Amino acid sequence: MVPQNIAIVGAGLAGMACAKSLEAHGARVRLFEKSRRPGGRLATRRVEVEGVTHAFDHGAQYLTARGAHFAAVLDVTRAMPWPDDSRKVGRPNMATIGRGLADGLDIAVNRQVVEITGSPGAWMLRHHDGTLITPGAPLPEGPPEEDGPFDAIALTVPSPQAVPLLAGPAPHLAHVLEGVVMAPCWTVMLAFPTRIPLPDTLRLTGGPIAWAARDSSKPGRVAEQENWVVQASADWSRDHLERRPAEVAQLLHDALEKLVGQPLPPTLVKLAHRWRYALVEKPLGAPCLWDPTLGLGAGGDWAIDARAEAAVDSGIALAAAIRRA
Ligand SMILES: Cc1cc2nc3c(=O)[nH]c(=O)nc-3n(C[C@H](O)[C@H](O)[C@H](O)COP(=O)(O)OP(=O)(O)OC[C@H]3O[C@@H](n4cnc5c(N)ncnc54)[C@H](O)[C@@H]3O)c2cc1C
């Protein structure tokens, strides 16, 4: 039987691409997303300073399309070239791209899925209010909410977060996913009152900083602002994974200062965000994972490559695998 009533866990690019493809073929799809908004790692943080908003794309920096599907996504969401014609960014921010894709989809936000129960053909999802869950802490008191039954469930969350959800109902899939490796990335957002003497983008090797960019130089941003996004290398992020965000913000600020070679102006914003699962280091090596007998599977960038386009390609491949069932 081809599944008709499908749940997708995670409303990033992969989940939304999967949902759109399934819906185009007549399936009924509901997405569950733990954050307040869809989009996943295509993310923008807004910070108010004395009544002025500073925005930072603190996840994916720019997008490149090698295939027709993702080129169409970038066209539909009106992404603009930056810093050159081969790369594109959302306008006025990266989160716009996720929001554009979410249009028309049934997405339950603030719902963090904690368990899959039931049996093939009648799967149930248990979920809590995502805003009440702290990683590593006990789950909130009170019973989870439950949704279902679903003919099939697709997980489009980072692979390490799919493993515990699949461990009960599909241990063989969880086992395969354990082979995927994702690297963390500490990201620091800095705003200065005056311009600092660096080019708009820097890609570096061998030190704490892997990438730094003048976020405010992207099209559609407030050009008068001097907003920077600084990403640490995977090795540095691993070595400092459990450090306090304020310490990490200072360390990467100081590393940027060293690059400038002179004292930086005082900061208006100095914040760190830890992406525990940022970029794929060892992908699955197949477009997605699907067990047609169970009606369970998973997809995401981690299946193919450390690029946003891979997430869309994996989501579409997952939808095709579900339909073939
Ligand atoms: C710092 C950084 C820089 C990057 N730079 C680039 C770049 O320049 N170019 C590029 O192409 N790519 C870049 N990427 C990678 C790109 O962002 C990803 O490849 C892409 O966004 C992954 O999409 P996805 O749908 O597979 O996963 P995600 O975007 O991670 O979506 C998964 C979703 O699942 C949700 N979720 C997780 N667990 C649960 C749960 N239990 N219940 C409910 N929801 C859940 C999450 O909140 C999230 O919204 C970068 C990523 C990071 C973090």
Side-chain angles (χ1 to χ4, degrees):
M1 182 193 76
V2 177
Q4 287 303 318
N5 179 25
I6 300 157
I8 296 179
V9 182
L13 287 179
M16 292 193 285
C18 183
K20 287 213 179 257
S21 178
L22 288 168
E23 285 191 350
H25 289 84
R28 203 165 57 251
V29 182
R30 180 144 218 240
L31 293 109
F32 294 82
E33 168 54 50
K34 73 173 178 182
S35 305
R36 276 181 300 151
R37 295 193 186 90
R41 280 171 273 159
L42 288 197
T44 304
R45 173 84 70 89
R46 285 170 203 76
V47 187
E48 290 278 327
V49 184
E50 294 175 2
V52 177
T53 303
H54 294 258
F56 304 85
D57 295 330
H58 64 305
Q61 295 296 290
Y62 54 77
L63 306 169
T64 46
R66 296 178 191 163
H69 276 306
F70 199 51
V73 168
L74 298 184
D75 278 350
V76 167
T77 53
R78 296 177 191 203
M80 300 283 291
W82 180 91
D84 51 46
D85 285 347
S86 68
R87 299 178 267 183
K88 291 199 170 170
V89 295
R91 190 175 165 201
N93 54 50
M94 229 38 170
T96 314
I97 294 187
R99 226 153 293 151
L101 284 181
D103 219 24
L105 293 174
D106 175 9
I107 305 179
V109 292
N110 282 340
R111 301 315 309 171
Q112 179 157 345
V113 172
V114 293
E115 195 180 4
I116 297 172
T117 60
S119 53
W123 293 113
M124 304 293 293
L125 281 183
R126 291 193 172 154
H127 46 86
H128 283 280
D129 182 343
T131 60
L132 302 179
I133 296 185
T134 314
L139 288 175
E141 281 181 25
E145 285 183 26
E146 204 168 42
D147 260 277
F150 297 104
D151 302 337
I153 295 180
L155 305 182
T156 55
V157 303
S159 56
Q161 293 173 324
V163 169
L165 294 173
L166 288 173
H172 59 299
L173 298 184
H175 180 67
V176 173
L177 284 186
E178 278 166 0
V180 173
V181 180
M182 294 189 75
C185 178
W186 270 113
T187 300
V188 167
M189 294 154 268
L190 298 167
F192 302 102
T194 52
R195 196 173 164 89
I196 62 172
L198 284 177
D200 288 348
T201 65
L202 294 108
R203 188 169 290 291
L204 304 161
T205 51
I209 297 178
W211 164 265
R214 179 177 282 113
D215 208 60
S216 43
S217 70
K218 293 177 176 175
R221 275 58 172 183
V222 184
E224 298 73 41
Q225 294 183 352
E226 181 71 352
N227 298 340
W228 280 77
V229 169
V230 179
Q231 293 174 348
S233 69
D235 285 347
W236 193 95
S237 298
R238 275 200 179 94
D239 289 346
H240 296 77
L241 197 59
E242 303 306 334
R243 295 287 285 269
R244 286 176 34 241
E247 287 172 350
V248 169
Q250 190 60 47
L251 288 170
L252 292 178
H253 167 279
D254 295 351
L256 189 72
E257 188 165 66
K258 217 165 154 192
L259 288 178
V260 174
Q262 64 188 61
L264 287 171
T267 48
L268 302 170
V269 176
K270 186 166 55 181
L271 281 176
H273 179 92
R274 179 180 57 195
W275 295 98
R276 201 175 271 279
Y277 307 114
L279 294 167
V280 189
E281 277 186 341
K282 185 173 164 228
L284 178 69
C288 65
L289 204 57
W290 185 249
D291 183 327
T293 314
L294 289 180
L296 292 175
D301 60 345
W302 49 263
I304 304 174
D305 193 6
R307 298 167 57 239
E309 181 171 27
V312 169
D313 288 349
S314 176
I316 290 169
L318 187 55
I322 295 171
R323 287 201 316 276
R324 271 198 303 274

mmCIF file of all heavy atoms in Angstrom, residues 9-14 32-35 39-41 58-63 111-113 156-158 161 185 187 231 275 278-279 300-301 307-308 311, ligand 1:
data_model
loop_
_atom_site.group_PDB
_atom_site.id
_atom_site.type_symbol
_atom_site.label_atom_id
_atom_site.label_comp_id
_atom_site.label_asym_id
_atom_site.label_seq_id
_atom_site.Cartn_x
_atom_site.Cartn_y
_atom_site.Cartn_z
ATOM 1 N N VAL A 9 9.079 14.502 10.611
ATOM 2 C CA VAL A 9 9.647 15.126 11.812
ATOM 3 C C VAL A 9 10.804 16.015 11.374
ATOM 4 O O VAL A 9 11.798 15.515 10.842
ATOM 5 C CB VAL A 9 10.118 14.068 12.829
ATOM 6 C CG1 VAL A 9 10.660 14.747 14.082
ATOM 7 C CG2 VAL A 9 8.975 13.114 13.173
ATOM 8 N N GLY A 10 10.673 17.333 11.574
ATOM 9 C CA GLY A 10 11.711 18.284 11.180
ATOM 10 C C GLY A 10 11.279 19.068 9.956
ATOM 11 O O GLY A 10 11.035 18.485 8.885
ATOM 12 N N ALA A 11 11.160 20.394 10.121
ATOM 13 C CA ALA A 11 10.744 21.244 8.998
ATOM 14 C C ALA A 11 11.912 22.106 8.539
ATOM 15 O O ALA A 11 11.834 23.330 8.481
ATOM 16 C CB ALA A 11 9.539 22.096 9.382
ATOM 17 N N GLY A 12 13.041 21.449 8.236
ATOM 18 C CA GLY A 12 14.141 22.120 7.536
ATOM 19 C C GLY A 12 13.917 21.939 6.040
ATOM 20 O O GLY A 12 12.831 21.547 5.595
ATOM 21 N N LEU A 13 14.971 22.204 5.261
ATOM 22 C CA LEU A 13 14.836 22.090 3.799
ATOM 23 C C LEU A 13 14.432 20.685 3.376
ATOM 24 O O LEU A 13 13.577 20.510 2.506
ATOM 25 C CB LEU A 13 16.171 22.438 3.135
ATOM 26 C CG LEU A 13 16.588 23.902 3.109
ATOM 27 C CD1 LEU A 13 17.934 24.025 2.425
ATOM 28 C CD2 LEU A 13 15.550 24.744 2.399
ATOM 29 N N ALA A 14 15.037 19.667 4.007
ATOM 30 C CA ALA A 14 14.759 18.282 3.610
ATOM 31 C C ALA A 14 13.300 17.930 3.884
ATOM 32 O O ALA A 14 12.610 17.379 3.024
ATOM 33 C CB ALA A 14 15.683 17.318 4.351
ATOM 34 N N PHE A 32 6.199 18.097 11.951
ATOM 35 C CA PHE A 32 6.367 18.449 13.362
ATOM 36 C C PHE A 32 7.743 19.080 13.515
ATOM 37 O O PHE A 32 8.757 18.478 13.145
ATOM 38 C CB PHE A 32 6.249 17.202 14.240
ATOM 39 C CG PHE A 32 4.866 16.610 14.208
ATOM 40 C CD1 PHE A 32 4.491 15.779 13.165
ATOM 41 C CD2 PHE A 32 3.935 16.920 15.185
ATOM 42 C CE1 PHE A 32 3.206 15.254 13.106
ATOM 43 C CE2 PHE A 32 2.652 16.401 15.132
ATOM 44 C CZ PHE A 32 2.282 15.557 14.093
ATOM 45 N N GLU A 33 7.775 20.296 14.044
ATOM 46 C CA GLU A 33 9.027 21.052 14.134
ATOM 47 C C GLU A 33 9.220 21.547 15.566
ATOM 48 O O GLU A 33 8.332 22.162 16.134
ATOM 49 C CB GLU A 33 8.988 22.234 13.146
ATOM 50 C CG GLU A 33 10.074 23.261 13.321
ATOM 51 C CD GLU A 33 11.490 22.678 13.301
ATOM 52 O OE1 GLU A 33 11.821 21.926 12.385
ATOM 53 O OE2 GLU A 33 12.261 22.993 14.234
ATOM 54 N N LYS A 34 10.408 21.283 16.118
ATOM 55 C CA LYS A 34 10.614 21.635 17.531
ATOM 56 C C LYS A 34 10.808 23.141 17.750
ATOM 57 O O LYS A 34 10.534 23.644 18.830
ATOM 58 C CB LYS A 34 11.801 20.862 18.102
ATOM 59 C CG LYS A 34 13.153 21.316 17.640
ATOM 60 C CD LYS A 34 14.250 20.585 18.392
ATOM 61 C CE LYS A 34 15.610 21.014 17.888
ATOM 62 N NZ LYS A 34 16.714 20.329 18.536
ATOM 63 N N SER A 35 11.266 23.850 16.718
ATOM 64 C CA SER A 35 11.525 25.284 16.894
ATOM 65 C C SER A 35 10.251 26.101 16.655
ATOM 66 O O SER A 35 9.244 25.573 16.229
ATOM 67 C CB SER A 35 12.589 25.758 15.914
ATOM 68 O OG SER A 35 13.735 24.977 16.050
ATOM 69 N N GLY A 39 12.584 25.980 8.826
ATOM 70 C CA GLY A 39 13.792 26.476 8.153
ATOM 71 C C GLY A 39 15.055 25.791 8.625
ATOM 72 O O GLY A 39 16.035 25.737 7.906
ATOM 73 N N GLY A 40 15.060 25.315 9.880
ATOM 74 C CA GLY A 40 16.218 24.589 10.402
ATOM 75 C C GLY A 40 17.481 25.426 10.385
ATOM 76 O O GLY A 40 17.499 26.562 10.861
ATOM 77 N N ARG A 41 18.524 24.868 9.775
ATOM 78 C CA ARG A 41 19.830 25.543 9.805
ATOM 79 C C ARG A 41 19.929 26.709 8.812
ATOM 80 O O ARG A 41 20.952 27.372 8.747
ATOM 81 C CB ARG A 41 20.932 24.506 9.540
ATOM 82 C CG ARG A 41 21.261 23.693 10.771
ATOM 83 C CD ARG A 41 22.184 22.541 10.451
ATOM 84 N NE ARG A 41 21.465 21.363 10.032
ATOM 85 C CZ ARG A 41 21.980 20.364 9.323
ATOM 86 N NH1 ARG A 41 23.227 20.436 8.922
ATOM 87 N NH2 ARG A 41 21.241 19.317 8.992
ATOM 88 N N HIS A 58 23.031 33.192 11.092
ATOM 89 C CA HIS A 58 24.029 32.478 11.898
ATOM 90 C C HIS A 58 24.132 30.994 11.532
ATOM 91 O O HIS A 58 24.920 30.269 12.121
ATOM 92 C CB HIS A 58 23.761 32.667 13.397
ATOM 93 C CG HIS A 58 22.472 32.083 13.876
ATOM 94 N ND1 HIS A 58 21.272 32.417 13.321
ATOM 95 C CD2 HIS A 58 22.205 31.187 14.865
ATOM 96 C CE1 HIS A 58 20.314 31.741 13.960
ATOM 97 N NE2 HIS A 58 20.856 30.988 14.892
ATOM 98 N N GLY A 59 23.330 30.542 10.555
ATOM 99 C CA GLY A 59 23.462 29.171 10.046
ATOM 100 C C GLY A 59 24.120 29.219 8.679
ATOM 101 O O GLY A 59 25.204 29.810 8.527
ATOM 102 N N ALA A 60 23.454 28.632 7.677
ATOM 103 C CA ALA A 60 24.034 28.610 6.333
ATOM 104 C C ALA A 60 24.331 30.034 5.866
ATOM 105 O O ALA A 60 23.541 30.946 6.073
ATOM 106 C CB ALA A 60 23.076 27.920 5.364
ATOM 107 N N GLN A 61 25.480 30.189 5.219
ATOM 108 C CA GLN A 61 25.938 31.521 4.825
ATOM 109 C C GLN A 61 25.486 31.910 3.423
ATOM 110 O O GLN A 61 25.108 33.040 3.178
ATOM 111 C CB GLN A 61 27.463 31.566 4.899
ATOM 112 C CG GLN A 61 27.969 31.390 6.314
ATOM 113 C CD GLN A 61 27.517 32.556 7.172
ATOM 114 O OE1 GLN A 61 27.987 33.672 7.014
ATOM 115 N NE2 GLN A 61 26.572 32.318 8.073
ATOM 116 N N TYR A 62 25.600 30.965 2.512
ATOM 117 C CA TYR A 62 25.185 31.213 1.119
ATOM 118 C C TYR A 62 24.828 29.868 0.527
ATOM 119 O O TYR A 62 25.171 28.805 1.083
ATOM 120 C CB TYR A 62 26.312 31.882 0.322
ATOM 121 C CG TYR A 62 27.601 31.118 0.372
ATOM 122 C CD1 TYR A 62 27.784 29.982 -0.395
ATOM 123 C CD2 TYR A 62 28.631 31.509 1.211
ATOM 124 C CE1 TYR A 62 28.953 29.253 -0.322
ATOM 125 C CE2 TYR A 62 29.797 30.786 1.304
ATOM 126 C CZ TYR A 62 29.956 29.655 0.532
ATOM 127 O OH TYR A 62 31.100 28.915 0.612
ATOM 128 N N LEU A 63 24.121 29.894 -0.597
ATOM 129 C CA LEU A 63 23.618 28.657 -1.179
ATOM 130 C C LEU A 63 24.094 28.541 -2.622
ATOM 131 O O LEU A 63 24.159 29.549 -3.341
ATOM 132 C CB LEU A 63 22.082 28.651 -1.127
ATOM 133 C CG LEU A 63 21.529 28.910 0.290
ATOM 134 C CD1 LEU A 63 20.031 29.162 0.245
ATOM 135 C CD2 LEU A 63 21.850 27.744 1.215
ATOM 136 N N ARG A 111 6.884 21.746 18.498
ATOM 137 C CA ARG A 111 6.573 20.368 18.880
ATOM 138 C C ARG A 111 7.825 19.513 18.696
ATOM 139 O O ARG A 111 8.251 19.263 17.563
ATOM 140 C CB ARG A 111 5.430 19.773 18.039
ATOM 141 C CG ARG A 111 4.109 20.504 18.082
ATOM 142 C CD ARG A 111 3.643 20.924 19.458
ATOM 143 N NE ARG A 111 3.642 19.870 20.448
ATOM 144 C CZ ARG A 111 3.421 20.094 21.759
ATOM 145 N NH1 ARG A 111 3.200 21.323 22.199
ATOM 146 N NH2 ARG A 111 3.426 19.106 22.606
ATOM 147 N N GLN A 112 8.429 19.116 19.795
ATOM 148 C CA GLN A 112 9.625 18.270 19.732
ATOM 149 C C GLN A 112 9.223 16.812 19.894
ATOM 150 O O GLN A 112 8.708 16.412 20.950
ATOM 151 C CB GLN A 112 10.636 18.664 20.810
ATOM 152 C CG GLN A 112 11.870 17.773 20.746
ATOM 153 C CD GLN A 112 13.101 18.406 21.355
ATOM 154 O OE1 GLN A 112 13.128 19.616 21.584
ATOM 155 N NE2 GLN A 112 14.110 17.616 21.633
ATOM 156 N N VAL A 113 9.448 16.037 18.851
ATOM 157 C CA VAL A 113 9.072 14.620 18.884
ATOM 158 C C VAL A 113 10.071 13.875 19.764
ATOM 159 O O VAL A 113 11.286 14.017 19.619
ATOM 160 C CB VAL A 113 9.046 14.044 17.449
ATOM 161 C CG1 VAL A 113 8.845 12.535 17.477
ATOM 162 C CG2 VAL A 113 7.943 14.731 16.644
ATOM 163 N N THR A 156 13.466 13.929 9.222
ATOM 164 C CA THR A 156 14.412 14.771 8.468
ATOM 165 C C THR A 156 15.135 15.699 9.439
ATOM 166 O O THR A 156 15.260 16.888 9.215
ATOM 167 C CB THR A 156 13.694 15.562 7.354
ATOM 168 O OG1 THR A 156 12.626 16.325 7.944
ATOM 169 C CG2 THR A 156 13.137 14.642 6.295
ATOM 170 N N VAL A 157 15.584 15.124 10.529
ATOM 171 C CA VAL A 157 16.352 15.841 11.559
ATOM 172 C C VAL A 157 17.821 15.451 11.369
ATOM 173 O O VAL A 157 18.108 14.469 10.670
ATOM 174 C CB VAL A 157 15.857 15.443 12.970
ATOM 175 C CG1 VAL A 157 14.367 15.726 13.108
ATOM 176 C CG2 VAL A 157 16.120 13.970 13.265
ATOM 177 N N PRO A 158 18.785 16.197 11.944
ATOM 178 C CA PRO A 158 20.186 15.752 11.851
ATOM 179 C C PRO A 158 20.318 14.283 12.302
ATOM 180 O O PRO A 158 19.653 13.871 13.263
ATOM 181 C CB PRO A 158 20.908 16.715 12.801
ATOM 182 C CG PRO A 158 20.092 17.978 12.717
ATOM 183 C CD PRO A 158 18.663 17.491 12.640
ATOM 184 N N GLN A 161 20.200 13.008 15.826
ATOM 185 C CA GLN A 161 18.920 13.196 16.521
ATOM 186 C C GLN A 161 17.872 12.197 16.029
ATOM 187 O O GLN A 161 16.866 11.968 16.705
ATOM 188 C CB GLN A 161 18.438 14.642 16.337
ATOM 189 C CG GLN A 161 19.369 15.619 17.046
ATOM 190 C CD GLN A 161 19.052 17.078 16.763
ATOM 191 O OE1 GLN A 161 18.659 17.450 15.659
ATOM 192 N NE2 GLN A 161 19.241 17.918 17.764
ATOM 193 N N CYS A 185 29.644 23.414 15.086
ATOM 194 C CA CYS A 185 30.188 24.717 14.673
ATOM 195 C C CYS A 185 29.755 25.788 15.673
ATOM 196 O O CYS A 185 28.571 26.104 15.777
ATOM 197 C CB CYS A 185 29.700 25.080 13.272
ATOM 198 S SG CYS A 185 30.292 26.696 12.730
ATOM 199 N N THR A 187 29.364 29.502 16.386
ATOM 200 C CA THR A 187 29.195 30.680 15.527
ATOM 201 C C THR A 187 29.017 31.911 16.403
ATOM 202 O O THR A 187 28.212 31.887 17.339
ATOM 203 C CB THR A 187 27.952 30.499 14.631
ATOM 204 O OG1 THR A 187 28.145 29.335 13.831
ATOM 205 C CG2 THR A 187 27.723 31.686 13.724
ATOM 206 N N GLN A 231 32.519 31.955 12.086
ATOM 207 C CA GLN A 231 32.333 30.524 12.360
ATOM 208 C C GLN A 231 33.676 29.890 12.718
ATOM 209 O O GLN A 231 34.657 30.051 11.995
ATOM 210 C CB GLN A 231 31.794 29.801 11.127
ATOM 211 C CG GLN A 231 30.393 30.209 10.751
ATOM 212 C CD GLN A 231 29.973 29.582 9.437
ATOM 213 O OE1 GLN A 231 30.785 29.027 8.705
ATOM 214 N NE2 GLN A 231 28.699 29.681 9.141
ATOM 215 N N TRP A 275 26.068 25.231 17.195
ATOM 216 C CA TRP A 275 25.387 24.232 16.363
ATOM 217 C C TRP A 275 26.056 22.908 16.688
ATOM 218 O O TRP A 275 27.204 22.685 16.288
ATOM 219 C CB TRP A 275 25.548 24.542 14.877
ATOM 220 C CG TRP A 275 24.898 25.808 14.417
ATOM 221 C CD1 TRP A 275 25.507 27.014 14.240
ATOM 222 C CD2 TRP A 275 23.520 25.989 14.069
ATOM 223 N NE1 TRP A 275 24.587 27.938 13.811
ATOM 224 C CE2 TRP A 275 23.361 27.328 13.696
ATOM 225 C CE3 TRP A 275 22.407 25.156 14.030
ATOM 226 C CZ2 TRP A 275 22.144 27.861 13.291
ATOM 227 C CZ3 TRP A 275 21.197 25.674 13.633
ATOM 228 C CH2 TRP A 275 21.068 27.008 13.266
ATOM 229 N N ALA A 278 26.265 20.687 12.763
ATOM 230 C CA ALA A 278 26.254 21.757 11.760
ATOM 231 C C ALA A 278 26.473 21.219 10.356
ATOM 232 O O ALA A 278 25.647 21.394 9.460
ATOM 233 C CB ALA A 278 27.320 22.788 12.100
ATOM 234 N N LEU A 279 27.608 20.569 10.160
ATOM 235 C CA LEU A 279 28.019 20.173 8.805
ATOM 236 C C LEU A 279 28.392 18.694 8.779
ATOM 237 O O LEU A 279 28.991 18.177 9.715
ATOM 238 C CB LEU A 279 29.215 21.025 8.360
ATOM 239 C CG LEU A 279 28.892 22.514 8.172
ATOM 240 C CD1 LEU A 279 30.169 23.344 8.049
ATOM 241 C CD2 LEU A 279 28.016 22.735 6.937
ATOM 242 N N GLY A 300 18.076 13.865 4.898
ATOM 243 C CA GLY A 300 18.621 15.169 5.297
ATOM 244 C C GLY A 300 19.938 15.370 4.580
ATOM 245 O O GLY A 300 20.406 14.470 3.852
ATOM 246 N N ASP A 301 20.560 16.537 4.779
ATOM 247 C CA ASP A 301 21.841 16.804 4.107
ATOM 248 C C ASP A 301 22.857 15.718 4.410
ATOM 249 O O ASP A 301 23.660 15.330 3.561
ATOM 250 C CB ASP A 301 22.379 18.188 4.498
ATOM 251 C CG ASP A 301 22.620 18.348 5.995
ATOM 252 O OD1 ASP A 301 22.116 17.524 6.789
ATOM 253 O OD2 ASP A 301 23.312 19.322 6.373
ATOM 254 N N ARG A 307 25.866 20.404 2.323
ATOM 255 C CA ARG A 307 25.351 21.585 1.617
ATOM 256 C C ARG A 307 23.834 21.560 1.670
ATOM 257 O O ARG A 307 23.208 20.496 1.669
ATOM 258 C CB ARG A 307 25.783 21.577 0.151
ATOM 259 C CG ARG A 307 27.274 21.624 -0.071
ATOM 260 C CD ARG A 307 27.639 21.301 -1.505
ATOM 261 N NE ARG A 307 26.976 22.218 -2.415
ATOM 262 C CZ ARG A 307 26.149 21.837 -3.366
ATOM 263 N NH1 ARG A 307 25.852 20.562 -3.546
ATOM 264 N NH2 ARG A 307 25.600 22.724 -4.165
ATOM 265 N N ALA A 308 23.267 22.761 1.654
ATOM 266 C CA ALA A 308 21.814 22.871 1.726
ATOM 267 C C ALA A 308 21.141 22.154 0.548
ATOM 268 O O ALA A 308 20.075 21.545 0.699
ATOM 269 C CB ALA A 308 21.424 24.349 1.753
ATOM 270 N N ALA A 311 20.226 18.664 1.206
ATOM 271 C CA ALA A 311 19.034 18.456 2.036
ATOM 272 C C ALA A 311 17.794 18.366 1.149
ATOM 273 O O ALA A 311 16.943 17.476 1.318
ATOM 274 C CB ALA A 311 18.901 19.599 3.044
HETATM 275 C C1 LIG B 1 26.901 27.197 10.807
HETATM 276 C C2 LIG B 1 26.430 26.563 9.527
HETATM 277 C C3 LIG B 1 26.886 27.034 8.302
HETATM 278 C C4 LIG B 1 26.451 26.475 7.120
HETATM 279 N N1 LIG B 1 26.849 27.007 5.935
HETATM 280 C C5 LIG B 1 26.328 26.538 4.784
HETATM 281 C C6 LIG B 1 26.600 27.197 3.547
HETATM 282 O O1 LIG B 1 27.265 28.226 3.511
HETATM 283 N N2 LIG B 1 26.073 26.668 2.408
HETATM 284 C C7 LIG B 1 25.282 25.539 2.424
HETATM 285 O O2 LIG B 1 24.815 25.112 1.362
HETATM 286 N N3 LIG B 1 24.989 24.919 3.582
HETATM 287 C C8 LIG B 1 25.482 25.396 4.751
HETATM 288 N N4 LIG B 1 25.155 24.802 5.944
HETATM 289 C C9 LIG B 1 24.393 23.542 5.908
HETATM 290 C C10 LIG B 1 22.915 23.757 5.641
HETATM 291 O O3 LIG B 1 22.409 24.698 6.534
HETATM 292 C C11 LIG B 1 22.237 22.410 5.804
HETATM 293 O O4 LIG B 1 22.797 21.517 4.862
HETATM 294 C C12 LIG B 1 20.730 22.402 5.602
HETATM 295 O O5 LIG B 1 20.112 23.545 6.135
HETATM 296 C C13 LIG B 1 20.204 21.124 6.252
HETATM 297 O O6 LIG B 1 18.806 21.011 6.076
HETATM 298 P P1 LIG B 1 18.048 19.773 6.712
HETATM 299 O O7 LIG B 1 16.616 19.936 6.390
HETATM 300 O O8 LIG B 1 18.716 18.503 6.279
HETATM 301 O O9 LIG B 1 18.301 19.856 8.281
HETATM 302 P P2 LIG B 1 17.940 21.026 9.313
HETATM 303 O O10 LIG B 1 18.000 22.344 8.663
HETATM 304 O O11 LIG B 1 18.812 20.786 10.496
HETATM 305 O O12 LIG B 1 16.419 20.725 9.684
HETATM 306 C C14 LIG B 1 16.063 19.781 10.657
HETATM 307 C C15 LIG B 1 14.894 20.326 11.466
HETATM 308 O O13 LIG B 1 14.488 19.325 12.399
HETATM 309 C C16 LIG B 1 14.121 19.955 13.612
HETATM 310 N N5 LIG B 1 14.188 18.927 14.655
HETATM 311 C C17 LIG B 1 15.289 18.300 15.164
HETATM 312 N N6 LIG B 1 14.915 17.373 16.072
HETATM 313 C C18 LIG B 1 13.564 17.425 16.153
HETATM 314 C C19 LIG B 1 12.598 16.704 16.917
HETATM 315 N N7 LIG B 1 12.945 15.728 17.769
HETATM 316 N N8 LIG B 1 11.295 17.012 16.762
HETATM 317 C C20 LIG B 1 10.903 17.983 15.891
HETATM 318 N N9 LIG B 1 11.775 18.697 15.134
HETATM 319 C C21 LIG B 1 13.094 18.408 15.266
HETATM 320 C C22 LIG B 1 15.133 21.085 13.747
HETATM 321 O O14 LIG B 1 14.674 22.096 14.605
HETATM 322 C C23 LIG B 1 15.263 21.559 12.297
HETATM 323 O O15 LIG B 1 14.358 22.596 11.990
HETATM 324 C C24 LIG B 1 25.556 25.371 7.144
HETATM 325 C C25 LIG B 1 25.073 24.911 8.376
HETATM 326 C C26 LIG B 1 25.495 25.507 9.551
HETATM 327 C C27 LIG B 1 24.924 25.040 10.862
#
